[in-house]
Amino acid sequence: KTVPLAVEKVIPNIEKVVDTVVERVNKGGRLLYIGAGTSGRLGVVDASECLPTFGVGDLVFACIAGGDSALRNPIESAEDSEMQAW
């Protein structure tokens, strides 16, 4: 029960983020996932599903610290490197 309760507490914050993203996308902006490690991988997976699921074209992108190879092989401390973080 701890996860649902924790999520419930931040629903107003999540709503604000979603509203802001929708507003920006409607003005020509894009949604960009940026992450490292597991969170970066999850962002890439979520972003890659947006086109087939929602047909959003080139509105959603993802970057993972360490680049493409970091999707399959952990690259420790890539987020701390000026060359690998993006």
Side-chain angles (χ1 to χ4, degrees):
K1 289 188 177 186
T2 58
V3 172
L5 292 175
V7 171
E8 184 177 29
K9 289 179 183 177
V10 297
I11 285 176
N13 294 342
I14 295 169
E15 182 180 17
K16 287 178 188 175
V17 169
V18 170
D19 288 344
T20 300
V21 169
V22 169
E23 178 184 327
R24 303 277 172 92
V25 167
N26 285 337
K27 292 180 180 178
R30 297 179 179 171
L31 174 60
L32 177 60
Y33 287 81
I34 301 173
T38 301
S39 61
R41 286 183 205 68
L42 292 173
V44 170
V45 169
D46 197 52
S48 69
E49 284 297 320
C50 287
L51 176 60
T53 303
F54 303 109
V56 295
D58 64 350
L59 295 177
V60 182
F61 295 89
C63 296
I64 182 170
D68 184 61
S69 62
L71 291 172
R72 292 169 299 286
N73 303 301
I75 300 176
E76 297 304 320
S77 302
E79 68 271 20
D80 297 324
S81 164
E82 287 186 24
M83 297 306 294
Q84 293 180 317
W86 61 284

